[in-house]
Amino acid sequence: MVRKKSSFILCGAFLFVAWNVLLLLYLWGRPPIGRLGDGGGVEPGGKEEWGAGRGKMGQVNLAEEMIRLAEEVEVHLDTQKKLLKQIEIHREVWARQKDLGKRETGSNIKEAGDQQQPQKTLRPLRNSVDAGDQTNTQRPVHKVAPSLPLEEPREKIRNIKVTTPIPSPEFIIPILVIACDRVTVKRSLDRLISYRPSTELYPIIVSQDCGHADTARVIGSYGEQVTHIKQPDLADIKVRPEHRKFQGYYKIARHYRWALNQVFNTFSQSTVVIVEDDLEVAPDFFEYFRALYPILRSDPTLWCVSAWNDNGRDALVDPSKAELLYRTDFFPGLGWMLLKELWNELEPKWPSAFWDDWMRQPEQRKNRSCIRPEISRTITFGRKGVSLGQFFDQYLRYIRLNTEFVPFTKQDLSFLLKEKYDEIFVQEVYSATLVKIEDLQHGGNLKGPGPYRVQYSSRDSFKVFARNLGVMDDLKSGVPRTGYRGVVSFLHRGRRVFLAPPEGWTQYDISWS
C-alpha cells in the first residue's frame, strides 16, 4: 500500500512538470485574448485586425504580448502552487498513516506480567443518539455514539484511526453514567468533568432510561463533553402480581443490559467504569481505575474493581491511609470497572431484576474477587430511588469520600495479585491479638493501635458482633460486606480490627444469607 502511494506521488510530480512545459508552449503559440470589440480575435474580423496591427506596430504589440503572457503565467503558476500544496498535505497524511501502521504492528504491550492488547479508539460521532436515528455527524475523537440504529446493538462498527495514536499505556477507559429521571445528574457530571484528566482517554457516555424530558435537557446542556444515548424500550415489563411493586428493579436490569451492550458491542470497547446518576466521585477517581486496570486484566481471580467501601463511614476507616487497597469477595458496585470478557460471560444469562444481588451469587462470582479502597472514591447523594431510601439514612449518607489525591499509577500494586495478597493477608489477620468484643468496647486493657481480631463462628454471632462494632451485618450468598476469606477489616475507636472466622476457613456457607 505504501509503495503504491509513493508511485502515485512520483507520477503526480511528473505530470506537474509536463503540464507546465505544455502550458508554456501553448501560451507562446496562441493568439492574444482581447476585449470584446477591440479587435482581439474574439469578434469576427478580429484575426485580420490583429495581423494588421502587428504589421504596423510590431514592437509595441510584442511588448504588450509579453506582459500579457507573464500575467497569464503568474495566474497558472498560482493554481499550480495550490495543487502542489494539496499533494504535499496528502503526502504528509500518508506518511503519518504509514508510521501509525508500523507502531500498531510493532507494539507489544506488557502490563503486570501479562501481554496487554492495544485499545481501540472510540469512533468520533455525534453527541446525542436516539433509537432509530441513523444520521451521523462527526465529533472530536473522544466522543462515542452508535453509527447504526440502536435497535441493532450487537452489530459492531469499525473504528476510525487517528493520525496521532495514543501511547500504549494510555488505554481508553470509558465512563458509563446510568441515568433516569434525576435532574441532579448534573452534580455527578460536574464532578466527573472537573476531575477528568483527558477527554480522549475517559469519554463519558450517559445512558438515559425513563424518557424524562427535564433530565434529558440537563444532559444535553453538556454538549460535546458527553455522549448522550437513550434506552429505546420504555414499556412496562410483565411481572408476577407479587412483583408489581418491584417494576423499577426490572427496568433497571433491562437498562443495564442495553447500556453495556452499547459500550461493548456497538462502541467496541474492552472495559468500562459504571457509575449511576446519584454518585459523586473523588479527585483521584480516574487515577484509581487507571492504575488498577492492569491488575484486573492480569489476574483471573479478579472480576471487578470498585470505588466503594460498604463500611466506609468516618469512624470505620483510617483517614491517614487513603492509599490502602483490599481484595473483597463481596461485589460492591457503586462505581465499578469490568472487562468485556466478563460481560460476554454474564450477558447471555443476565437477570430480569435485582442484578446486583444476582452478581453476588456463587454461580456468577465463581470464587472471584473485587478490589476496593479503604476510603471510598464515590459517595451517593440519591436518597430518592427504587429502594425508597433503604440503607441511605442508616449507612450511605455517612460514607466518607476521599479528598486526597493518591498517585496510584506511580505505585507498585502487584501485592493485590492473589498469590501475594493471600499469604500476607492470612498472616496479618491470624497473627493479630485475639480479643473479646467487650475488650474492644471498653478498651481499657488494650494497648496500641492493633490490629486485633474478634472471632465469630456462626451467622448469628457474626451479626451480633457486626452490629455492636458498627459495621454492616447483612450477608449476600453467605458473604459479608467487604469480606475477604470471611474477614471484615475496619477501624474501631482508632484500632484496626479483623472480624474473622476461625483459622482454616475454606468457603462461605450460602445458608447464612
Side-chain angles (χ1 to χ4, degrees):
M1 179 60 72
V2 174
R3 189 173 296 173
K4 288 183 179 179
K5 290 176 180 175
S6 300
S7 301
F8 181 74
I9 293 172
L10 291 174
C11 182
F14 174 76
L15 290 174
F16 170 75
V17 175
W19 168 258
N20 280 281
V21 173
L22 292 173
L23 178 63
L24 287 173
L25 292 175
Y26 167 72
L27 290 174
W28 277 103
R30 65 179 286 194
I33 300 176
R35 296 183 182 90
L36 289 173
D38 67 357
V42 284
E43 288 184 337
K47 184 176 180 179
E48 289 77 15
E49 292 173 8
W50 177 74
R54 186 175 54 178
K56 294 178 182 179
M57 302 178 63
Q59 292 181 347
V60 176
N61 287 344
L62 180 60
E64 292 178 352
E65 178 66 11
M66 290 298 295
I67 293 172
R68 184 189 59 76
L69 279 173
E71 291 175 348
E72 289 193 9
V73 168
E74 185 176 355
V75 171
H76 284 283
L77 282 176
D78 185 61
T79 303
Q80 296 304 313
K81 285 179 182 178
K82 293 179 181 178
L83 183 61
L84 272 177
K85 189 174 181 179
Q86 292 180 4
I87 292 175
E88 179 65 20
I89 290 172
H90 285 292
R91 186 190 67 78
E92 291 176 357
V93 171
W94 291 332
R96 286 197 298 267
Q97 289 179 344
K98 175 183 176 183
D99 183 60
L100 175 60
K102 287 181 178 179
R103 291 185 189 183
E104 290 181 344
T105 303
S107 65
N108 185 18
I109 307 164
K110 197 167 187 178
E111 295 184 69
D114 283 355
Q115 193 172 24
Q116 171 62 43
Q117 295 181 353
Q119 287 280 317
K120 297 182 179 178
T121 301
L122 293 177
R123 184 181 179 94
L125 292 170
R126 67 188 181 91
N127 170 261
S128 181
V129 179
D130 293 336
D133 188 349
Q134 302 184 31
T135 59
N136 297 332
T137 303
Q138 288 196 346
R139 295 290 190 189
V141 68
H142 63 275
K143 293 296 159 197
V144 293
S147 63
L148 299 174
L150 294 183
E151 288 82 0
E152 301 175 2
R154 291 179 176 275
E155 189 168 349
K156 295 184 179 180
I157 57 176
R158 183 175 56 87
N159 290 318
I160 296 176
K161 294 180 180 179
V162 292
T163 55
T164 305
I166 297 172
S168 56
E170 304 291 299
F171 38 81
I172 294 171
I173 303 179
I175 310 299
L176 174 63
V177 181
I178 300 293
C180 181
D181 59 355
R182 289 189 181 106
V183 294
T184 51
V185 66
K186 176 176 172 56
R187 177 175 170 182
S188 179
L189 291 176
D190 283 347
R191 289 293 184 271
L192 284 168
I193 291 170
S194 66
Y195 294 142
R196 176 171 60 173
S198 167
T199 55
E200 288 79 15
L201 299 179
Y202 305 97
I204 298 173
I205 308 165
V206 186
S207 180
Q208 186 188 359
D209 200 0
C210 308
H212 192 249
D214 289 341
T215 302
R217 278 191 289 271
V218 170
I219 299 168
S221 69
Y222 288 88
E224 295 183 358
Q225 296 180 92
V226 306
T227 294
H228 185 192
I229 60 176
K230 298 178 182 179
Q231 202 281 113
D233 185 3
L234 304 181
D236 283 343
I237 300 171
K238 293 182 179 180
V239 299
R240 302 194 307 271
E242 62 271 24
H243 272 208
R244 285 175 185 168
K245 62 181 178 180
F246 300 131
Q247 179 75 212
Y249 291 100
Y250 282 84
K251 289 184 176 181
I252 288 172
R254 178 177 66 186
H255 186 194
Y256 263 81
R257 185 176 202 162
W258 181 86
L260 286 169
N261 273 330
Q262 295 302 303
V263 172
F264 290 124
N265 298 333
T266 301
F267 302 147
S268 299
Q269 290 306 297
S270 63
T271 189
V272 70
V273 175
I274 305 168
V275 297
E276 296 188 3
D277 56 1
D278 63 345
L279 291 185
E280 181 179 330
V281 303
D284 59 353
F285 174 85
F286 296 95
E287 174 82 359
Y288 174 79
F289 283 106
R290 177 157 297 275
L292 289 169
Y293 173 82
I295 303 296
L296 177 63
R297 173 67 68 182
S298 61
D299 188 345
T301 68
L302 291 171
W303 71 327
C304 89
V305 174
S306 174
W308 181 258
N309 177 2
D310 276 297
N311 290 314
R313 300 168 65 184
D314 267 320
L316 301 176
V317 297
D318 188 342
S320 67
K321 298 291 180 65
E323 75 281 1
L324 283 182
L325 303 176
Y326 302 86
R327 292 174 69 103
T328 175
D329 297 324
F330 189 90
F331 172 71
L334 293 173
W336 59 289
M337 177 166 61
L338 74 158
L339 304 176
K340 183 178 182 180
E341 291 83 351
L342 178 63
W343 180 242
N344 290 340
E345 173 191 327
L346 298 177
E347 195 273 342
K349 55 179 181 176
W350 189 251
S352 56
F354 311 108
W355 68 269
D356 48 351
D357 282 342
W358 175 84
M359 290 275 290
R360 293 160 183 150
Q361 295 173 357
E363 296 80 8
Q364 280 63 251
R365 191 172 71 83
K366 296 180 179 178
N367 294 320
R368 293 173 291 195
S369 305
C370 295
I371 296 172
R372 59 97 177 170
E374 169 79 358
I375 305 177
S376 289
R377 264 58 185 185
T378 59
I379 58 169
T380 177
F381 53 84
R383 188 178 188 279
K384 170 193 172 185
V386 294
S387 63
L388 302 178
Q390 183 185 15
F391 291 133
F392 185 85
D393 291 331
Q394 188 177 0
Y395 292 103
L396 303 182
R397 65 184 300 176
Y398 300 108
I399 297 293
R400 181 189 183 100
L401 180 67
N402 180 60
T403 57
E404 175 188 346
F405 186 93
V406 178
F408 285 113
T409 57
K410 295 179 173 59
Q411 297 179 358
D412 180 7
L413 302 180
S414 62
F415 72 92
L416 290 164
L417 299 172
K418 183 175 177 59
E419 290 185 1
K420 294 183 178 181
Y421 188 89
D422 281 9
E423 182 178 355
I424 298 171
F425 181 78
V426 171
Q427 171 64 24
E428 183 179 13
V429 169
Y430 291 100
S431 64
T433 303
L434 181 63
V435 298
K436 296 180 179 180
I437 190 171
E438 293 82 4
D439 297 329
L440 286 175
Q441 290 175 323
H442 299 105
N445 298 326
L446 300 181
K447 297 180 181 179
Y452 296 99
R453 175 165 51 99
V454 175
Q455 185 168 294
Y456 68 89
S457 57
S458 67
R459 174 183 180 276
D460 291 340
S461 63
F462 171 81
K463 283 186 165 288
V464 169
F465 293 160
R467 288 170 187 165
N468 280 276
L469 294 172
V471 298
M472 298 186 75
D473 68 338
D474 60 324
L475 303 105
K476 303 289 186 179
S477 297
V479 183
R481 291 181 184 268
T482 74
Y484 185 70
R485 297 178 61 92
V487 179
V488 176
S489 173
F490 57 96
L491 246 60
H492 182 76
R493 297 184 178 181
R495 297 181 172 95
R496 177 62 58 183
V497 175
F498 299 120
L499 182 55
E503 191 170 4
W505 176 96
T506 55
Q507 63 182 1
Y508 294 102
D509 187 343
I510 194 172
S511 69
W512 286 21
S513 298

